[in-house]
Amino acid sequence: MRGRLLRAWREGAAARGLAELGAPRGKPPWRVLFFGTDDFAAESLRALEAAREPREEPLIDRLEVVTLPSPLPRGPPVKNCAQQFQLPTHHWPDTGPSSQFDVGVVASFGRLLNEDLILQFPYGVLNVHPSYLPRWRGPAPIVHAVLHGDTVTGVTIMQIKPKRFDVGPIIKQERYAVPSQCTAKELEAILSKLGANMLISVLKNLPESLKNKREQPNEGVTFAPKVTIAMSCIKWEEQTPEQILRLHRAIGATLPLQTLWMGNTVKLLDFVEVHNICSFADQLLNEHGIVPGSVLYHKSSETLVVRCKEGWVGVKTVILKKKLTAADFYNGYLHAWFQQKTLHGDCRFHTLKLTTVKKTERKGNGGAQYKTKSA
């Protein structure tokens, strides 16, 4: 009972605040407060800015931005975009003037909006989410779609609920067939344009779109947790060639995959399929026994061939102190003269394991650092 009374009071307070500014608008142009950070979000912001351009029936006449503070001089893409368009910008948790907007829009923001804030918007807060919900709720849906080999994904425009991410009712959804060999960065660019177009479509007929919203189904719910550095460590004994290639396409552009070579951490770039040279590798190592992480050099294709679970995967570039081609790595570390002076078991890639160690808390701020060990 007390909860219902508190909610009614909050809704009344929001309504009174809006009354001071005039009644909520029943049709465009809308007053929009945008929340976002990354490249995916910036595409929706650009679409909203384009909808402000003078025309016979404008869609938006006021647009302001909320983004996250960044220690980097350049700042997040949404901030740069807002500066380019000379839009009023607020840094979270500051959200600017209260109860002065018709609708909020969130895209890749990464922060929960509380109920008091949501109630300031007569039409609520829309979220442009890059998955076909309820599959891949959470902060990294595009990465996990690529990582798990999804052949179909999509974009969902949903209405935000307080306290939990990505559980609100669906306003509009579209499926998209994932291109073969597509990276997460490539898929992000595609879905960002699709999401921006869908957002504008919803805003053109916002009251009707909200009337037709539907709750998310209970079946098919999956979660897309945040990407961590530990995900970049290749597990040669556990991961198949296809899983390693998908991992590279999912996170390799931002977190190069890692492994251990002679106790040193190395990064592997430019992975390729090696179906045509698997028999060569199997035959060459047959006398010694095939061990996960074993590395060979295929001269004609200039490729390092690495044994993993149920097959081999190719690598074209290695970073070991500096960037090396496969041929450079072979000449420096795999040549016969080097192997003769080294135990065969050590002359391979080992799985790099990162163990989390909590930092000493200072002024209430905790963190974590990683230590490495081989497997």
Side-chain angles (χ1 to χ4, degrees), residues 87-218:
L87 297 173
T89 303
H90 314 281
H91 292 95
W92 182 265
D94 176 24
T95 58
S98 63
S99 303
Q100 294 190 15
F101 299 91
D102 302 298
V103 63
V105 174
V106 168
S108 297
F109 189 56
R111 297 292 187 274
L112 281 172
L113 274 58
N114 63 46
E115 188 173 19
D116 289 337
L117 178 58
I118 294 171
L119 287 173
Q120 292 179 18
F121 302 93
Y123 292 102
V125 181
L126 311 182
N127 181 16
V128 185
H129 185 80
S131 82
Y132 201 84
L133 290 171
R135 185 162 177 81
W136 301 132
R137 293 173 178 172
I142 297 175
V143 165
H144 285 273
V146 174
L147 184 62
H148 290 80
D150 289 6
T151 57
V152 177
T153 185
V155 175
T156 303
I157 308 293
M158 52 161 287
Q159 197 171 38
I160 279 186
K161 287 185 175 181
K163 299 180 182 178
R164 290 181 62 194
F165 285 110
D166 308 328
V167 298
I170 294 168
I171 300 168
K172 187 177 179 66
Q173 273 189 313
E174 288 189 22
R175 285 190 172 91
Y176 183 81
V178 180
S180 176
Q181 311 300 313
C182 188
T183 67
K185 277 293 180 186
E186 293 166 342
L187 188 57
E188 178 186 71
I190 295 168
L191 296 183
S192 67
K193 295 183 187 302
L194 176 60
N197 291 335
M198 290 169 61
L199 173 63
I200 297 303
S201 175
V202 167
L203 290 174
K204 284 180 178 178
N205 197 9
L206 183 57
E208 189 67 25
S209 297
L210 292 175
K211 286 179 184 177
N212 296 325
K213 67 186 179 183
R214 56 187 172 84
E215 295 299 324
Q216 293 187 32
N218 295 322

Side-chain angles (χ1 to χ4, degrees), residues 7-306:
R7 181 179 179 85
W9 180 87
R10 286 172 173 169
E11 290 174 346
R16 288 191 296 274
L18 286 165
E20 294 173 2
L21 299 164
R25 298 179 180 183
K27 62 179 183 179
W30 307 118
R31 297 162 295 189
V32 178
L33 183 61
F34 182 83
F35 302 77
T37 56
D38 62 11
D39 288 317
F40 178 85
E43 190 66 33
S44 287
L45 181 57
R46 280 189 283 268
L48 292 171
E49 169 63 18
R52 291 178 66 221
E53 295 177 1
R55 62 189 72 190
E56 193 170 317
E57 295 183 359
L59 184 61
I60 295 169
D61 69 353
R62 180 176 177 181
L63 178 61
E64 297 190 16
V65 174
V66 178
T67 190
L68 300 180
S70 171
L72 302 176
R74 181 170 172 78
V78 160
K79 181 180 179 181
N80 300 328
C81 195
Q83 289 175 339
Q84 178 188 346
F85 298 137
Q86 297 182 332
L87 297 173
T89 303
H90 314 281
H91 292 95
W92 182 265
D94 176 24
T95 58
S98 63
S99 303
Q100 294 190 15
F101 299 91
D102 302 298
V103 63
V105 174
V106 168
S108 297
F109 189 56
R111 297 292 187 274
L112 281 172
L113 274 58
N114 63 46
E115 188 173 19
D116 289 337
L117 178 58
I118 294 171
L119 287 173
Q120 292 179 18
F121 302 93
Y123 292 102
V125 181
L126 311 182
N127 181 16
V128 185
H129 185 80
S131 82
Y132 201 84
L133 290 171
R135 185 162 177 81
W136 301 132
R137 293 173 178 172
I142 297 175
V143 165
H144 285 273
V146 174
L147 184 62
H148 290 80
D150 289 6
T151 57
V152 177
T153 185
V155 175
T156 303
I157 308 293
M158 52 161 287
Q159 197 171 38
I160 279 186
K161 287 185 175 181
K163 299 180 182 178
R164 290 181 62 194
F165 285 110
D166 308 328
V167 298
I170 294 168
I171 300 168
K172 187 177 179 66
Q173 273 189 313
E174 288 189 22
R175 285 190 172 91
Y176 183 81
V178 180
S180 176
Q181 311 300 313
C182 188
T183 67
K185 277 293 180 186
E186 293 166 342
L187 188 57
E188 178 186 71
I190 295 168
L191 296 183
S192 67
K193 295 183 187 302
L194 176 60
N197 291 335
M198 290 169 61
L199 173 63
I200 297 303
S201 175
V202 167
L203 290 174
K204 284 180 178 178
N205 197 9
L206 183 57
E208 189 67 25
S209 297
L210 292 175
K211 286 179 184 177
N212 296 325
K213 67 186 179 183
R214 56 187 172 84
E215 295 299 324
Q216 293 187 32
N218 295 322
E219 301 77 26
V221 176
T222 57
F223 296 94
K226 186 177 179 179
V227 174
T228 65
I229 295 176
M231 289 174 63
S232 67
C233 301
I234 302 174
K235 301 177 178 66
W236 302 108
E237 299 84 356
E238 301 175 19
Q239 293 174 312
T240 66
E242 178 58 27
Q243 288 173 328
I244 293 171
L245 290 167
R246 290 204 306 253
L247 180 63
H248 174 62
R249 292 197 296 270
I251 68 172
T254 52
L255 284 177
L257 305 195
Q258 302 183 86
T259 190
L260 277 178
W261 171 264
M262 301 289 180
N264 297 303
T265 301
V266 299
K267 296 178 180 179
L268 306 180
L269 311 177
D270 306 324
F271 284 77
V272 294
E273 296 180 353
V274 291
H275 297 306
N276 57 330
I277 56 179
C278 284
S279 59
F280 148 81
D282 287 338
Q283 184 178 0
L284 199 57
L285 280 184
N286 190 45
E287 296 179 1
H288 304 283
I290 298 173
V291 180
S294 298
V295 188
L296 301 174
Y297 178 65
H298 190 250
K299 188 173 182 179
S300 62
S301 65
E302 297 184 334
T303 304
L304 295 175
V305 187
V306 190

